[in-house]
Amino acid sequence: RMLFVPYTGTQLLRPNRWGIHEPALTAQHCARPQQIDLVVMPLVAFDLEGHRLGMGKGYYDRAFAFRCQTEGKPFLLGLAHECQLSAQLLPVSAWDVDLDAVATPDRILSFRANRSAPLRLQPR
């Protein structure tokens, strides 16, 4: 399960079971995923349809499963290198949540407006 808490840079961080440092979790400070404006998501690979291949644990897919039914918040942005773009479409399962866009060092690919043909935005 993935929980979301604000981080201001002043909280003490503790390593979780994978050794990743995170703020101490308290239920009163948790935000619902629908309250978040932007989520920057790691990925192993992505394709030009906005499909994302993660590390296989399904945390992001479970946290944002409601996005399979509706558009809206949060905006799901994959962060990748160009070499992570798959030349072929990735396999998709019913529970997979698509990305709204992917940012690479070279460009931003937007999938939200038209799922069949991503809008290519020029970097500034």
Side-chain angles (χ1 to χ4, degrees), residues 17-70:
R17 63 181 169 180
W18 292 285
I20 300 169
H21 286 77
E22 60 186 22
L25 300 175
T26 59
Q28 67 202 37
H29 294 111
C30 288
R32 291 183 20 245
Q34 297 89 334
Q35 295 173 297
I36 300 169
D37 293 317
L38 171 68
V39 176
V40 179
M41 301 171 68
L43 53 85
V44 174
F46 70 98
D47 66 24
L48 290 175
E49 294 290 322
H51 305 130
R52 169 188 167 274
L53 179 64
M55 295 294 289
K57 300 268 187 215
Y59 287 104
Y60 287 94
D61 292 319
R62 284 191 300 279
F64 302 109
F66 64 92
R67 286 292 313 279
C68 290
Q69 309 300 317
T70 182

Side-chain angles (χ1 to χ4, degrees), residues 40-115:
V40 179
M41 301 171 68
L43 53 85
V44 174
F46 70 98
D47 66 24
L48 290 175
E49 294 290 322
H51 305 130
R52 169 188 167 274
L53 179 64
M55 295 294 289
K57 300 268 187 215
Y59 287 104
Y60 287 94
D61 292 319
R62 284 191 300 279
F64 302 109
F66 64 92
R67 286 292 313 279
C68 290
Q69 309 300 317
T70 182
E71 295 274 331
K73 289 174 38 172
F75 188 88
L76 304 177
L77 176 67
L79 189 60
H81 295 283
E82 285 290 327
C83 64
Q84 291 173 279
L85 172 59
S86 174
Q88 300 173 334
L89 291 181
L90 297 173
V92 180
S93 298
W95 58 82
D96 288 335
V97 178
D98 290 336
L99 297 165
D100 293 315
V102 170
T104 75
D106 299 329
R107 60 187 169 160
I108 297 173
L109 298 168
S110 176
F111 309 107
R112 184 176 253 197
N114 181 349
R115 303 239 42 104

